[in-house]
Protein backbone atom coordinates (compact mmCIF):
# COMPACT_ATOMS: atom_id res chain seq x y z
CA UNK A 1 0.00 0.00 0.00
CA UNK A 2 1.17 3.54 -0.73
CA UNK A 3 1.74 6.29 1.78
CA UNK A 4 -1.40 7.22 3.67
CA UNK A 5 -2.70 10.44 5.16
CA UNK A 6 -1.71 11.03 8.82
CA UNK A 7 -4.22 9.89 11.44
CA UNK A 8 -6.80 12.48 12.43
CA UNK A 9 -6.38 14.58 9.29
CA UNK A 10 -8.41 14.71 6.11
CA UNK A 11 -8.14 15.66 2.47
CA UNK A 12 -10.87 18.02 1.41
CA UNK A 13 -11.54 17.13 -2.18
CA UNK A 14 -13.32 19.04 -4.94
CA UNK A 15 -17.03 18.47 -4.44
CA UNK A 16 -16.55 18.91 -0.70
CA UNK A 17 -14.22 21.90 -0.73
CA UNK A 18 -16.97 24.13 -2.14
CA UNK A 19 -18.77 23.82 1.20
CA UNK A 20 -15.66 25.00 3.00
CA UNK A 21 -15.32 27.93 0.66
CA UNK A 22 -18.95 28.85 1.20
CA UNK A 23 -18.54 28.70 4.97
CA UNK A 24 -15.37 30.77 4.82
CA UNK A 25 -17.11 33.34 2.68
CA UNK A 26 -20.03 33.49 5.09
CA UNK A 27 -17.56 34.06 7.93
CA UNK A 28 -15.76 36.83 6.07
CA UNK A 29 -19.04 38.50 5.11
CA UNK A 30 -20.37 38.56 8.64
CA UNK A 31 -17.06 39.86 9.98
CA UNK A 32 -17.22 42.67 7.46
CA UNK A 33 -20.72 43.57 8.69
CA UNK A 34 -19.60 43.56 12.33
CA UNK A 35 -16.31 45.27 11.45
CA UNK A 36 -13.88 42.53 12.50
CA UNK A 37 -10.71 42.59 10.40
CA UNK A 38 -8.77 39.53 9.36
CA UNK A 39 -5.44 38.75 11.00
CA UNK A 40 -3.05 36.02 9.82
CA UNK A 41 -0.47 34.78 12.27
CA UNK A 42 2.12 31.98 11.85
CA UNK A 43 1.14 28.33 12.01
CA UNK A 44 3.81 27.79 14.67
CA UNK A 45 4.76 29.90 17.66
CA UNK A 46 7.19 29.67 20.53
CA UNK A 47 5.98 26.91 22.83
CA UNK A 48 6.10 29.28 25.77
CA UNK A 49 3.29 31.38 24.28
CA UNK A 50 0.81 28.52 24.66
CA UNK A 51 2.14 27.43 28.04
CA UNK A 52 1.52 30.92 29.32
CA UNK A 53 -1.69 31.82 27.55
CA UNK A 54 -3.63 28.58 27.18
CA UNK A 55 -2.33 27.57 30.57
CA UNK A 56 -0.05 24.87 31.92
CA UNK A 57 -2.84 22.96 33.59
CA UNK A 58 -5.05 22.59 30.52
CA UNK A 59 -5.48 19.43 28.45
CA UNK A 60 -4.13 21.29 25.45
CA UNK A 61 -0.78 22.10 27.02
CA UNK A 62 -0.57 18.92 29.07
CA UNK A 63 -1.13 16.41 26.29
CA UNK A 64 -2.31 17.79 22.98
CA UNK A 65 0.42 20.00 21.58
CA UNK A 66 2.58 19.22 18.57
CA UNK A 67 5.85 20.52 19.95
CA UNK A 68 9.22 20.20 18.25
CA UNK A 69 12.71 21.58 18.48
CA UNK A 70 13.92 23.32 15.35
CA UNK A 71 17.46 23.15 14.01
CA UNK A 72 18.36 26.20 16.03
CA UNK A 73 17.35 24.46 19.27
CA UNK A 74 14.18 26.52 19.83
CA UNK A 75 11.03 24.88 21.13
CA UNK A 76 8.19 25.58 18.74
CA UNK A 77 4.59 24.38 18.71
CA UNK A 78 2.02 24.08 15.93
CA UNK A 79 -0.77 26.34 17.09
CA UNK A 80 -3.48 24.41 18.96
CA UNK A 81 -5.82 27.42 18.99
CA UNK A 82 -5.97 30.98 17.72
CA UNK A 83 -6.39 33.35 20.65
CA UNK A 84 -2.84 33.13 21.98
CA UNK A 85 -1.25 34.23 18.72
CA UNK A 86 -3.77 37.01 18.15
CA UNK A 87 -3.12 38.39 21.61
CA UNK A 88 0.65 38.04 21.12
CA UNK A 89 0.39 39.93 17.86
CA UNK A 90 -1.85 42.58 19.44
CA UNK A 91 0.79 43.22 22.12
CA UNK A 92 3.79 42.92 19.81
CA UNK A 93 2.33 45.29 17.21
CA UNK A 94 1.11 47.67 19.89
CA UNK A 95 -2.42 47.56 18.53
CA UNK A 96 -3.60 49.09 21.82
CA UNK A 97 -2.23 52.35 20.39
CA UNK A 98 -4.43 52.27 17.29
CA UNK A 99 -7.03 54.97 16.89
CA UNK A 100 -9.92 52.57 16.41
CA UNK A 101 -10.74 50.78 19.66
CA UNK A 102 -11.59 48.13 20.61
CA UNK A 103 -9.40 46.19 18.19
CA UNK A 104 -11.68 43.66 16.48
CA UNK A 105 -9.99 40.78 14.67
CA UNK A 106 -10.87 37.44 13.12
CA UNK A 107 -8.96 34.44 11.81
CA UNK A 108 -9.70 31.32 9.81
CA UNK A 109 -7.10 28.61 9.66
CA UNK A 110 -5.85 25.17 10.67
CA UNK A 111 -5.15 24.26 14.31
CA UNK A 112 -3.31 21.19 15.53
CA UNK A 113 -3.98 19.02 18.56
CA UNK A 114 -2.75 15.55 19.34
CA UNK A 115 -6.11 14.08 20.25
CA UNK A 116 -7.71 10.66 19.95
CA UNK A 117 -9.34 10.91 16.53
CA UNK A 118 -13.10 10.33 16.47
CA UNK A 119 -16.19 11.94 14.98
CA UNK A 120 -15.85 15.71 15.38
CA UNK A 121 -12.31 15.42 16.72
CA UNK A 122 -9.38 15.78 14.37
CA UNK A 123 -5.66 16.36 14.78
CA UNK A 124 -5.77 19.10 12.20
CA UNK A 125 -8.98 21.12 12.10
CA UNK A 126 -9.98 24.55 10.90
CA UNK A 127 -11.13 27.19 13.32
CA UNK A 128 -12.92 30.42 12.65
CA UNK A 129 -12.56 32.77 15.59
CA UNK A 130 -12.91 36.39 16.53
CA UNK A 131 -11.33 38.53 19.25
CA UNK A 132 -12.36 41.98 20.49
CA UNK A 133 -9.58 43.47 22.57
CA UNK A 134 -9.59 46.70 24.54
CA UNK A 135 -13.12 47.04 25.86
CA UNK A 136 -14.87 45.68 28.93
CA UNK A 137 -18.29 46.90 27.90
CA UNK A 138 -20.85 44.08 28.35
CA UNK A 139 -22.22 45.13 24.95
CA UNK A 140 -19.09 43.74 23.30
CA UNK A 141 -19.70 40.38 25.03
CA UNK A 142 -23.20 40.41 23.63
CA UNK A 143 -21.89 41.35 20.19
CA UNK A 144 -19.35 38.50 20.14
CA UNK A 145 -22.04 35.99 21.11
CA UNK A 146 -24.50 37.39 18.60
CA UNK A 147 -21.96 37.22 15.78
CA UNK A 148 -21.48 33.49 16.38
CA UNK A 149 -25.23 32.89 16.53
CA UNK A 150 -25.87 34.95 13.38
CA UNK A 151 -23.11 33.11 11.54
CA UNK A 152 -24.76 29.75 12.25
CA UNK A 153 -28.18 31.17 11.42
CA UNK A 154 -26.96 32.51 8.09
CA UNK A 155 -25.72 29.04 7.22
CA UNK A 156 -29.12 27.58 8.00
CA UNK A 157 -28.62 25.98 11.43
CA UNK A 158 -31.70 26.21 13.63
CA UNK A 159 -31.31 23.63 16.38
CA UNK A 160 -28.85 25.48 18.54
CA UNK A 161 -28.51 25.96 22.24
CA UNK A 162 -26.55 28.84 23.69
CA UNK A 163 -25.19 28.17 27.17
CA UNK A 164 -23.66 31.00 29.16
CA UNK A 165 -22.01 31.42 32.51
CA UNK A 166 -19.98 33.96 34.39
CA UNK A 167 -16.63 33.08 35.88
CA UNK A 168 -16.57 36.39 37.68
CA UNK A 169 -13.55 38.53 38.37
CA UNK A 170 -10.41 37.44 40.20
CA UNK A 171 -11.80 37.91 43.69
CA UNK A 172 -15.01 36.01 42.88
CA UNK A 173 -12.97 33.16 41.48
CA UNK A 174 -10.64 32.90 44.44
CA UNK A 175 -13.66 32.65 46.74
CA UNK A 176 -15.01 29.86 44.55
CA UNK A 177 -11.63 28.19 44.42
CA UNK A 178 -11.60 27.75 48.18
CA UNK A 179 -15.13 26.41 48.16
CA UNK A 180 -14.24 23.92 45.43
CA UNK A 181 -11.21 22.66 47.28
CA UNK A 182 -13.32 22.17 50.41
CA UNK A 183 -15.95 20.35 48.34
CA UNK A 184 -13.72 17.95 46.42
CA UNK A 185 -10.78 17.45 48.80
CA UNK A 186 -12.30 14.75 51.06
CA UNK A 187 -13.22 12.51 48.09
CA UNK A 188 -10.59 13.49 45.57
CA UNK A 189 -9.33 9.89 45.58
CA UNK A 190 -12.46 8.91 43.61
CA UNK A 191 -11.51 11.27 40.78
CA UNK A 192 -9.12 10.77 37.89
CA UNK A 193 -5.43 11.55 38.19
CA UNK A 194 -5.84 14.75 36.21
CA UNK A 195 -8.48 16.01 38.63
CA UNK A 196 -6.24 15.18 41.58
CA UNK A 197 -3.65 17.39 39.98
CA UNK A 198 -6.23 20.04 39.13
CA UNK A 199 -7.28 20.28 42.77
CA UNK A 200 -3.82 21.69 43.45
CA UNK A 201 -3.23 23.75 40.32
CA UNK A 202 -6.64 24.94 39.18
CA UNK A 203 -9.66 23.38 40.93
CA UNK A 204 -12.08 25.18 38.59
CA UNK A 205 -10.88 22.89 35.82
CA UNK A 206 -12.30 19.84 37.64
CA UNK A 207 -15.75 21.02 36.55
CA UNK A 208 -14.66 20.66 32.91
CA UNK A 209 -13.37 17.07 33.30
CA UNK A 210 -14.75 14.72 30.68
CA UNK A 211 -13.94 11.53 32.64
CA UNK A 212 -15.52 12.49 35.93
CA UNK A 213 -18.47 14.31 34.45
CA UNK A 214 -20.93 11.83 36.00
CA UNK A 215 -19.55 11.85 39.57
CA UNK A 216 -22.23 12.87 42.07
CA UNK A 217 -19.98 15.53 43.61
CA UNK A 218 -20.03 17.32 40.25
CA UNK A 219 -23.76 17.93 40.53
CA UNK A 220 -23.49 19.29 44.07
CA UNK A 221 -20.36 21.36 43.47
CA UNK A 222 -20.50 24.96 44.65
CA UNK A 223 -21.76 27.24 41.92
CA UNK A 224 -19.73 30.18 40.74
CA UNK A 225 -22.95 32.13 40.62
CA UNK A 226 -23.13 32.03 44.43
CA UNK A 227 -19.65 33.48 44.64
CA UNK A 228 -19.91 36.37 42.21
CA UNK A 229 -19.26 39.68 43.91
CA UNK A 230 -21.50 42.63 43.17
CA UNK A 231 -19.54 44.01 40.22
CA UNK A 232 -19.29 40.58 38.57
CA UNK A 233 -22.92 39.80 39.04
CA UNK A 234 -23.93 43.20 37.68
CA UNK A 235 -21.75 42.57 34.62
CA UNK A 236 -23.39 39.21 34.02
CA UNK A 237 -26.88 40.70 34.40
CA UNK A 238 -26.07 43.30 31.76
CA UNK A 239 -24.83 40.72 29.28
CA UNK A 240 -28.00 38.65 29.78
CA UNK A 241 -30.20 41.71 29.38
CA UNK A 242 -28.50 42.65 26.12
CA UNK A 243 -28.87 39.11 24.77
CA UNK A 244 -32.57 39.17 25.61
CA UNK A 245 -32.86 42.53 23.92
CA UNK A 246 -31.52 40.96 20.72
CA UNK A 247 -33.94 38.06 21.01
CA UNK A 248 -31.15 35.54 21.58
CA UNK A 249 -32.29 32.63 23.75
CA UNK A 250 -29.84 31.15 26.22
CA UNK A 251 -29.58 28.95 29.28
CA UNK A 252 -27.26 29.59 32.22
CA UNK A 253 -25.05 26.68 33.25
CA UNK A 254 -22.91 27.40 36.33
CA UNK A 255 -20.70 24.40 35.53
CA UNK A 256 -19.56 25.80 32.21
CA UNK A 257 -15.90 26.69 32.69
CA UNK A 258 -14.26 26.30 29.25
CA UNK A 259 -10.92 24.82 28.39
CA UNK A 260 -8.47 27.69 28.77
CA UNK A 261 -7.10 29.14 31.98
CA UNK A 262 -7.47 32.88 31.53
CA UNK A 263 -11.21 33.17 31.19
CA UNK A 264 -13.17 35.48 33.47
CA UNK A 265 -16.65 36.97 33.49
CA UNK A 266 -18.58 35.80 30.43
CA UNK A 267 -18.08 32.23 29.19
CA UNK A 268 -20.30 30.61 26.59
CA UNK A 269 -20.76 27.59 24.37
CA UNK A 270 -23.05 26.93 21.47
CA UNK A 271 -24.26 23.35 21.12
CA UNK A 272 -26.11 21.51 18.43
CA UNK A 273 -29.39 20.02 19.54
CA UNK A 274 -29.92 18.22 16.26
CA UNK A 275 -30.92 14.62 16.69
CA UNK A 276 -28.18 12.21 15.72
CA UNK A 277 -25.45 14.80 16.01
CA UNK A 278 -23.41 12.53 18.24
CA UNK A 279 -21.77 12.70 21.61
CA UNK A 280 -19.71 15.82 21.10
CA UNK A 281 -22.23 18.58 20.78
CA UNK A 282 -20.19 21.72 21.31
CA UNK A 283 -19.86 23.72 18.13
CA UNK A 284 -18.37 26.91 19.48
CA UNK A 285 -16.75 28.11 22.66
CA UNK A 286 -15.77 31.52 23.83
CA UNK A 287 -15.36 33.90 26.68
CA UNK A 288 -13.71 36.87 28.24
CA UNK A 289 -10.00 36.81 29.10
CA UNK A 290 -9.10 39.98 30.91
CA UNK A 291 -5.62 38.95 32.12
CA UNK A 292 -4.32 37.46 28.91
CA UNK A 293 -2.81 40.46 27.13
CA UNK A 294 -0.71 41.26 30.17
CA UNK A 295 0.32 37.63 30.49
CA UNK A 296 1.95 37.68 27.07
CA UNK A 297 3.77 40.92 27.75
CA UNK A 298 1.30 43.62 26.75
CA UNK A 299 -0.52 46.23 28.83
CA UNK A 300 -3.52 45.31 30.98
CA UNK A 301 -6.27 45.20 28.34
CA UNK A 302 -9.50 43.22 28.45
CA UNK A 303 -10.55 40.91 25.64
CA UNK A 304 -13.26 38.52 24.56
CA UNK A 305 -13.62 36.09 21.68
CA UNK A 306 -14.83 32.74 20.44
CA UNK A 307 -13.57 29.89 18.31
CA UNK A 308 -15.53 27.33 16.35
CA UNK A 309 -14.47 24.59 14.01
CA UNK A 310 -15.65 24.12 10.46
CA UNK A 311 -15.57 20.32 10.91
CA UNK A 312 -18.18 20.34 13.68
CA UNK A 313 -20.22 22.94 11.84
CA UNK A 314 -20.36 20.63 8.81
CA UNK A 315 -21.53 17.74 11.01
CA UNK A 316 -24.23 19.97 12.47
CA UNK A 317 -25.37 20.98 8.99
CA UNK A 318 -25.53 17.30 8.07
CA UNK A 319 -27.44 16.41 11.20
CA UNK A 320 -30.02 19.13 10.45
CA UNK A 321 -30.16 18.15 6.81
CA UNK A 322 -29.09 21.61 5.61
CA UNK A 323 -27.53 21.67 2.17
CA UNK A 324 -25.31 24.64 1.37
CA UNK A 325 -25.89 26.35 -1.95
CA UNK A 326 -23.33 25.28 -4.51
CA UNK A 327 -22.29 26.82 -7.79
CA UNK A 328 -22.47 23.83 -10.10
CA UNK A 329 -22.68 25.05 -13.65
CA UNK A 330 -20.36 26.68 -16.17
CA UNK A 331 -21.29 29.16 -18.90
CA UNK A 332 -19.76 27.70 -22.05
CA UNK A 333 -18.29 24.46 -23.30
CA UNK A 334 -16.50 24.78 -26.60
CA UNK A 335 -16.82 21.84 -28.92
CA UNK A 336 -14.18 22.16 -31.62
CA UNK A 337 -14.06 19.62 -34.44
CA UNK A 338 -10.93 19.38 -36.55
CA UNK A 339 -7.50 20.83 -36.23
CA UNK A 340 -8.35 24.24 -37.58
CA UNK A 341 -11.34 24.63 -35.29
CA UNK A 342 -9.17 23.53 -32.40
CA UNK A 343 -6.70 26.30 -33.14
CA UNK A 344 -9.58 28.70 -33.06
CA UNK A 345 -11.03 27.31 -29.86
CA UNK A 346 -7.99 27.83 -27.64
CA UNK A 347 -7.82 31.64 -27.93
CA UNK A 348 -11.62 31.83 -27.85
CA UNK A 349 -11.60 30.02 -24.52
CA UNK A 350 -9.06 32.51 -23.24
CA UNK A 351 -11.20 35.46 -24.38
CA UNK A 352 -14.34 34.04 -22.81
CA UNK A 353 -12.58 33.57 -19.50
CA UNK A 354 -11.10 37.04 -19.69
CA UNK A 355 -14.58 38.42 -20.30
CA UNK A 356 -15.68 36.91 -17.00
CA UNK A 357 -17.32 33.68 -18.16
CA UNK A 358 -16.52 30.22 -16.89
CA UNK A 359 -15.61 28.13 -19.89
CA UNK A 360 -14.09 24.77 -20.72
CA UNK A 361 -13.21 22.63 -23.73
CA UNK A 362 -12.26 19.06 -24.44
CA UNK A 363 -8.68 17.95 -23.90
CA UNK A 364 -9.18 14.24 -24.38
CA UNK A 365 -9.55 14.09 -28.16
CA UNK A 366 -13.21 13.06 -27.82
CA UNK A 367 -15.67 12.64 -30.67
CA UNK A 368 -18.62 15.02 -31.04
CA UNK A 369 -21.08 12.93 -29.02
CA UNK A 370 -18.65 12.39 -26.17
CA UNK A 371 -17.89 16.11 -26.09
CA UNK A 372 -21.59 16.85 -25.62
CA UNK A 373 -21.59 14.35 -22.77
CA UNK A 374 -18.63 16.14 -21.23
CA UNK A 375 -20.45 19.47 -21.54
CA UNK A 376 -23.49 18.01 -19.80
CA UNK A 377 -21.39 16.53 -17.04
CA UNK A 378 -20.04 20.02 -16.30
CA UNK A 379 -23.60 21.39 -16.40
CA UNK A 380 -22.64 23.85 -19.13
CA UNK A 381 -25.37 26.34 -20.01
CA UNK A 382 -24.26 26.57 -23.64
CA UNK A 383 -22.18 24.55 -26.02
CA UNK A 384 -20.28 26.55 -28.64
CA UNK A 385 -19.83 24.26 -31.62
CA UNK A 386 -17.14 25.05 -34.13
CA UNK A 387 -17.04 22.53 -36.96
CA UNK A 388 -15.35 22.68 -40.32
CA UNK A 389 -18.48 23.92 -42.11
CA UNK A 390 -19.13 26.61 -39.51
CA UNK A 391 -15.54 27.73 -39.68
CA UNK A 392 -15.72 28.19 -43.46
CA UNK A 393 -18.70 30.47 -43.00
CA UNK A 394 -17.02 32.34 -40.15
CA UNK A 395 -19.69 31.14 -37.75
CA UNK A 396 -20.23 29.00 -34.68
CA UNK A 397 -23.31 27.27 -33.40
CA UNK A 398 -24.52 28.25 -29.98
CA UNK A 399 -26.66 25.59 -28.36
CA UNK A 400 -28.58 26.07 -25.13
CA UNK A 401 -28.15 22.66 -23.60
CA UNK A 402 -31.29 22.63 -21.52
CA UNK A 403 -33.78 23.81 -24.17
CA UNK A 404 -31.85 22.52 -27.18
CA UNK A 405 -32.36 25.90 -28.83
CA UNK A 406 -29.66 26.74 -31.39
CA UNK A 407 -28.45 30.04 -32.77
CA UNK A 408 -25.74 30.82 -35.21
CA UNK A 409 -23.18 33.45 -34.13
CA UNK A 410 -20.50 35.24 -36.08
CA UNK A 411 -17.03 34.17 -35.02
CA UNK A 412 -15.86 37.72 -35.42
CA UNK A 413 -16.44 39.58 -32.13
CA UNK A 414 -18.12 36.52 -30.71
CA UNK A 415 -17.25 37.29 -27.12
CA UNK A 416 -18.64 40.81 -27.52
CA UNK A 417 -21.87 39.38 -28.84
CA UNK A 418 -22.12 36.85 -26.03
CA UNK A 419 -21.47 39.56 -23.50
CA UNK A 420 -24.29 41.65 -24.87
CA UNK A 421 -26.55 38.69 -24.26
CA UNK A 422 -27.13 36.66 -27.41
P1 LIG B 1 -13.76 19.87 23.45
O1 LIG B 1 -14.32 20.07 24.81
O2 LIG B 1 -14.75 19.31 22.48
O3 LIG B 1 -12.44 19.17 23.44
P2 LIG B 1 -12.39 22.34 23.50
O4 LIG B 1 -12.84 22.97 24.75
O5 LIG B 1 -11.08 21.66 23.46
O6 LIG B 1 -13.50 21.36 22.93
P3 LIG B 1 -11.93 24.85 22.22
O7 LIG B 1 -10.50 24.85 22.50
O8 LIG B 1 -12.80 25.75 22.98
O9 LIG B 1 -12.50 23.38 22.31
O10 LIG B 1 -12.16 25.08 20.67
C1 LIG B 1 -13.31 25.73 20.16
C2 LIG B 1 -14.08 24.84 19.21
O11 LIG B 1 -13.19 24.21 18.30
C3 LIG B 1 -14.81 23.70 19.86
O12 LIG B 1 -16.04 24.11 20.35
C4 LIG B 1 -14.95 22.74 18.71
O13 LIG B 1 -16.04 23.14 17.87
C5 LIG B 1 -13.70 22.93 17.95
N1 LIG B 1 -12.70 21.88 18.21
C6 LIG B 1 -11.90 21.74 19.28
N2 LIG B 1 -11.11 20.68 19.15
C7 LIG B 1 -11.40 20.13 17.94
C8 LIG B 1 -10.89 19.01 17.21
N3 LIG B 1 -9.93 18.26 17.68
N4 LIG B 1 -11.44 18.74 15.98
C9 LIG B 1 -12.42 19.52 15.48
N5 LIG B 1 -12.93 20.58 16.12
C10 LIG B 1 -12.43 20.90 17.34
MG1 LIG C 1 -10.48 19.68 23.62
Amino acid sequence: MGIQIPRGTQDILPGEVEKWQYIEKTARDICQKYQYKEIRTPIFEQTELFQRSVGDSTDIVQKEMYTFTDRGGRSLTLRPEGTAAVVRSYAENKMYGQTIQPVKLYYIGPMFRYERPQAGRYRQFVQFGIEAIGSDDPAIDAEVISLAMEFYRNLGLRELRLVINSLGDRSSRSALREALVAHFQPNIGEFCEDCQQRLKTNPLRILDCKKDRGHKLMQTAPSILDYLNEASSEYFEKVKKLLKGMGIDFVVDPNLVRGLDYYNHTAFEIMSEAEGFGAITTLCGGGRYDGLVEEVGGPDKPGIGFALSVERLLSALDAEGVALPQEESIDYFIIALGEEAEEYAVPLLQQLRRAGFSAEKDYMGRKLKAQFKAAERLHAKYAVIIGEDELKEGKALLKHLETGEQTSVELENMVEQLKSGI
Side-chain angles (χ1 to χ4, degrees), residues 60 64 81 113 115 120-123 125 127 208 210 258-260 269 280 282-285 307-309 311-312:
I60 293 181
E64 295 174 1
E81 56 94 50
R113 295 184 194 177
E115 303 212 59
R121 215 178 270 293
Y122 296 86
R123 289 185 173 171
F125 57 99
Q127 278 188 340
D208 197 29
K210 305 219 162 63
R258 307 278 315 116
L260 317 185
E269 283 189 358
I280 306 171
T282 305
L283 302 179
C284 170
L308 61 87
S309 77
E311 288 79 0
R312 286 196 200 168

Coordinates of all heavy atoms in Angstrom, one line a residue, residues 60 64 81 113 115 120-123 125 127 208 210 258-260 269 280 282-285 307-309 311-312, ligand 1:
I60 N -4.9 20.9 26.7 CA -4.1 21.3 25.4 C -2.6 21.3 25.7 O -1.9 20.6 25.0 CB -4.6 22.7 24.9 CG1 -6.0 22.6 24.4 CG2 -3.7 23.2 23.8 CD1 -6.6 23.9 23.9
E64 N -1.8 17.7 24.4 CA -2.3 17.8 23.0 C -1.4 18.6 22.0 O -1.7 18.6 20.8 CB -3.7 18.4 23.0 CG -4.8 17.5 23.7 CD -6.1 18.2 23.8 OE1 -6.3 19.3 23.3 OE2 -7.0 17.5 24.4
E81 N -4.6 26.5 19.0 CA -5.8 27.4 19.0 C -5.4 28.8 18.5 O -4.2 29.0 18.3 CB -6.4 27.5 20.4 CG -5.5 27.9 21.5 CD -5.6 29.3 21.8 OE1 -6.7 29.8 22.0 OE2 -4.5 30.0 21.8
R113 N -4.0 19.6 17.2 CA -4.0 19.0 18.6 C -3.8 17.5 18.5 O -4.5 16.9 17.7 CB -5.3 19.3 19.3 CG -5.5 20.8 19.5 CD -6.8 21.1 20.3 NE -7.1 22.5 20.3 CZ -8.2 23.0 20.8 NH1 -9.0 22.3 21.5 NH2 -8.4 24.3 20.7
E115 N -5.0 14.6 19.5 CA -6.1 14.1 20.3 C -6.4 12.7 19.7 O -5.9 12.3 18.7 CB -7.4 14.9 20.0 CG -7.2 16.4 20.3 CD -8.5 17.0 20.8 OE1 -9.1 16.5 21.8 OE2 -8.9 18.0 20.1
G120 N -15.9 14.3 14.8 CA -15.9 15.7 15.4 C -14.6 16.1 16.1 O -14.4 17.1 16.7
R121 N -13.6 15.1 16.1 CA -12.3 15.4 16.7 C -11.2 15.0 15.8 O -10.9 13.9 15.5 CB -12.2 14.6 18.0 CG -11.5 15.4 19.1 CD -11.5 14.6 20.4 NE -12.7 14.9 21.3 CZ -12.9 16.1 21.9 NH1 -12.0 17.1 21.7 NH2 -13.9 16.3 22.6
Y122 N -10.5 16.0 15.3 CA -9.4 15.8 14.4 C -8.1 16.3 15.0 O -8.1 17.0 15.9 CB -9.6 16.5 13.1 CG -10.9 16.0 12.3 CD1 -12.1 16.5 12.6 CD2 -10.8 15.0 11.4 CE1 -13.3 16.1 12.0 CE2 -11.9 14.5 10.7 CZ -13.1 15.1 11.0 OH -14.2 14.6 10.4
R123 N -7.0 15.9 14.3 CA -5.7 16.4 14.8 C -5.3 17.6 14.0 O -4.5 18.4 14.5 CB -4.6 15.3 14.6 CG -4.8 14.2 15.6 CD -3.8 13.1 15.6 NE -4.0 12.2 16.7 CZ -3.4 11.0 16.9 NH1 -2.5 10.6 16.0 NH2 -3.7 10.3 17.9
F125 N -7.6 20.6 12.4 CA -9.0 21.1 12.1 C -8.9 22.6 11.9 O -8.0 23.3 12.3 CB -9.9 20.7 13.3 CG -9.5 21.2 14.6 CD1 -10.0 22.4 15.1 CD2 -8.5 20.6 15.3 CE1 -9.6 22.9 16.4 CE2 -8.1 21.1 16.6 CZ -8.6 22.2 17.1
Q127 N -10.3 26.3 12.4 CA -11.1 27.2 13.3 C -11.4 28.6 12.7 O -10.5 29.1 12.1 CB -10.4 27.4 14.7 CG -10.7 26.3 15.6 CD -10.2 26.6 17.0 OE1 -9.3 27.4 17.2 NE2 -10.7 25.8 18.0
D208 N -14.7 20.9 34.4 CA -14.7 20.7 32.9 C -14.2 19.3 32.6 O -13.9 18.9 31.4 CB -13.7 21.7 32.3 CG -13.9 21.9 30.8 OD1 -15.1 21.6 30.3 OD2 -13.0 22.2 30.1
K210 N -13.9 15.6 31.5 CA -14.8 14.7 30.7 C -14.9 13.3 31.3 O -16.0 12.7 31.2 CB -14.2 14.6 29.3 CG -14.0 16.0 28.7 CD -14.4 16.1 27.2 CE -14.6 17.5 26.9 NZ -13.4 18.4 27.0
R258 N -15.1 26.1 30.4 CA -14.3 26.3 29.3 C -12.8 25.8 29.5 O -12.3 25.7 30.6 CB -14.2 27.8 28.8 CG -15.6 28.4 28.6 CD -16.2 28.0 27.2 NE -15.1 28.2 26.2 CZ -14.7 27.2 25.5 NH1 -15.1 25.9 25.7 NH2 -13.8 27.4 24.6
G259 N -12.2 25.5 28.3 CA -10.9 24.8 28.4 C -9.7 25.6 28.7 O -8.6 25.1 29.0
L260 N -9.7 26.9 28.6 CA -8.5 27.7 28.8 C -8.4 28.3 30.2 O -9.5 28.5 30.8 CB -8.3 28.8 27.7 CG -8.7 28.4 26.3 CD1 -8.4 29.6 25.3 CD2 -7.9 27.2 25.8
E269 N -20.9 28.6 25.4 CA -20.8 27.6 24.4 C -22.0 27.5 23.6 O -23.1 27.8 24.1 CB -20.5 26.2 25.0 CG -19.1 26.1 25.5 CD -18.7 24.7 26.0 OE1 -19.6 23.8 26.0 OE2 -17.6 24.5 26.4
I280 N -20.4 14.5 20.9 CA -19.7 15.8 21.1 C -20.6 16.9 20.5 O -20.7 17.0 19.3 CB -18.3 15.8 20.4 CG1 -17.5 14.7 20.9 CG2 -17.6 17.2 20.7 CD1 -16.2 14.5 20.1
T282 N -20.6 20.3 21.3 CA -20.2 21.7 21.3 C -19.7 22.2 20.0 O -18.8 21.5 19.4 CB -19.1 22.0 22.4 OG1 -19.6 21.5 23.6 CG2 -18.8 23.4 22.5
L283 N -20.3 23.2 19.4 CA -19.9 23.7 18.1 C -18.9 24.9 18.3 O -18.0 25.1 17.4 CB -21.1 24.2 17.3 CG -22.2 23.2 17.1 CD1 -23.3 23.9 16.3 CD2 -21.6 22.0 16.3
C284 N -19.1 25.7 19.3 CA -18.4 26.9 19.5 C -18.2 27.2 20.9 O -19.0 27.0 21.8 CB -19.2 28.0 18.8 SG -18.6 29.7 19.1
G285 N -17.0 27.7 21.3 CA -16.8 28.1 22.7 C -16.1 29.5 22.7 O -15.3 29.8 21.8
A307 N -14.1 30.7 19.4 CA -13.6 29.9 18.3 C -14.5 28.8 18.0 O -15.2 28.2 18.9 CB -12.2 29.3 18.7
L308 N -14.7 28.5 16.7 CA -15.5 27.3 16.3 C -14.8 26.6 15.2 O -14.0 27.2 14.5 CB -16.9 27.8 15.9 CG -17.0 28.8 14.7 CD1 -17.1 28.0 13.4 CD2 -18.2 29.7 14.9
S309 N -15.1 25.3 15.1 CA -14.5 24.6 14.0 C -15.4 24.3 12.9 O -16.6 24.1 13.0 CB -13.8 23.3 14.5 OG -14.8 22.3 14.7
E311 N -15.2 21.8 10.9 CA -15.6 20.3 10.9 C -16.9 20.1 11.7 O -17.8 19.3 11.2 CB -14.4 19.5 11.5 CG -13.2 19.4 10.7 CD -12.3 20.7 10.7 OE1 -12.7 21.6 11.5 OE2 -11.3 20.7 10.1
R312 N -17.0 20.6 12.9 CA -18.2 20.3 13.7 C -19.4 21.1 13.1 O -20.5 20.6 13.2 CB -18.0 20.7 15.1 CG -17.1 19.7 15.8 CD -17.1 19.8 17.3 NE -15.9 19.1 17.8 CZ -15.5 19.2 19.0 NH1 -16.2 19.9 19.9 NH2 -14.4 18.6 19.4
Ligands
LIG1 P1 -13.8 19.9 23.5 O1 -14.3 20.1 24.8 O2 -14.7 19.3 22.5 O3 -12.4 19.2 23.4 P2 -12.4 22.3 23.5 O4 -12.8 23.0 24.7 O5 -11.1 21.7 23.5 O6 -13.5 21.4 22.9 P3 -11.9 24.9 22.2 O7 -10.5 24.9 22.5 O8 -12.8 25.8 23.0 O9 -12.5 23.4 22.3 O10 -12.2 25.1 20.7 C1 -13.3 25.7 20.2 C2 -14.1 24.8 19.2 O11 -13.2 24.2 18.3 C3 -14.8 23.7 19.9 O12 -16.0 24.1 20.4 C4 -15.0 22.7 18.7 O13 -16.0 23.1 17.9 C5 -13.7 22.9 17.9 N1 -12.7 21.9 18.2 C6 -11.9 21.7 19.3 N2 -11.1 20.7 19.2 C7 -11.4 20.1 17.9 C8 -10.9 19.0 17.2 N3 -9.9 18.3 17.7 N4 -11.4 18.7 16.0 C9 -12.4 19.5 15.5 N5 -12.9 20.6 16.1 C10 -12.4 20.9 17.3

